[in-house]
Amino acid sequence: MAREKASGAAARHRPSVPTLAADTVVVLGGAVLGKPHSHADALGLLERLSGREHEVLTAVALVSDRVELKLSESRVWLRETTLEERRAYCDTGEPMDKAGAYAIQGLAAVFVRRLEGSYSGVMGLPLYETAALLAGAGIRVI
């Protein structure tokens, strides 16, 4: 999906300008948990993740003279959450456009018990991988 997003944006805008895009999925027990479609769906996703370990995979793609792709893989453990906590969180609207129905950089940070991997990757733009892609294309990061 990151490759498609970057390629599509490059074709629509300025193909000569390097274009970057990313896409994130949450994987629980082999099942991909996407973005919730409704408040009830968000509640269900958060209930499934409650007290469980899951993977967060974020691909980042750079389109310049060719397409380059890197993948960030992280593991996240959420603490057990109550229905009241999940409802209150869903009522904020924050989970509605987030893979797995939570934003680690937002209010759901209080649900995160442990993280192995990339915090920025779980947020949706893995900075280490992004910097490596840009450096490989001759684009200075620092």
Side-chain angles (χ1 to χ4, degrees):
M1 184 58 78
R3 180 182 290 128
E4 290 177 22
K5 285 180 180 179
S7 296
R12 281 189 309 276
H13 300 290
R14 295 175 53 191
S16 62
V17 175
T19 305
L20 187 76
D23 195 69
T24 302
V25 296
V26 170
V27 181
L28 176 66
V32 174
L33 307 183
K35 295 177 182 179
H37 302 292
S38 66
H39 190 274
D41 191 26
L43 280 171
L45 290 170
L46 291 168
E47 182 177 16
R48 289 176 67 187
L49 292 169
S50 179
R52 310 254 329 255
E53 170 194 352
H54 60 278
E55 290 179 281
V56 178
L57 307 172
T58 300
V60 61
L62 178 67
V63 176
S64 52
D65 58 333
R66 64 183 185 275
V67 179
E68 295 290 330
L69 188 70
K70 293 215 177 271
L71 180 65
S72 169
E73 301 177 64
S74 300
R75 292 171 49 197
V76 179
W77 288 258
L78 297 186
R79 68 170 173 80
E80 291 280 342
T81 56
T82 65
L83 177 57
E84 182 180 339
E85 288 175 316
R86 293 189 298 270
R87 281 186 177 149
Y89 179 58
C90 288
D91 287 346
T92 69
E94 186 177 271
M96 294 313 298
D97 65 340
K98 308 293 187 283
Y102 77 93
I104 196 170
Q105 73 277 20
L107 297 170
V110 299
F111 300 155
V112 177
R113 186 170 58 83
R114 182 174 168 198
L115 164 68
E116 284 183 9
S118 171
Y119 179 78
S120 63
V122 176
M123 282 183 20
L125 183 64
L127 298 179
Y128 175 82
E129 290 80 0
T130 299
L133 284 173
L134 293 171
I139 301 169
R140 189 176 173 160
V141 178
I142 295 180

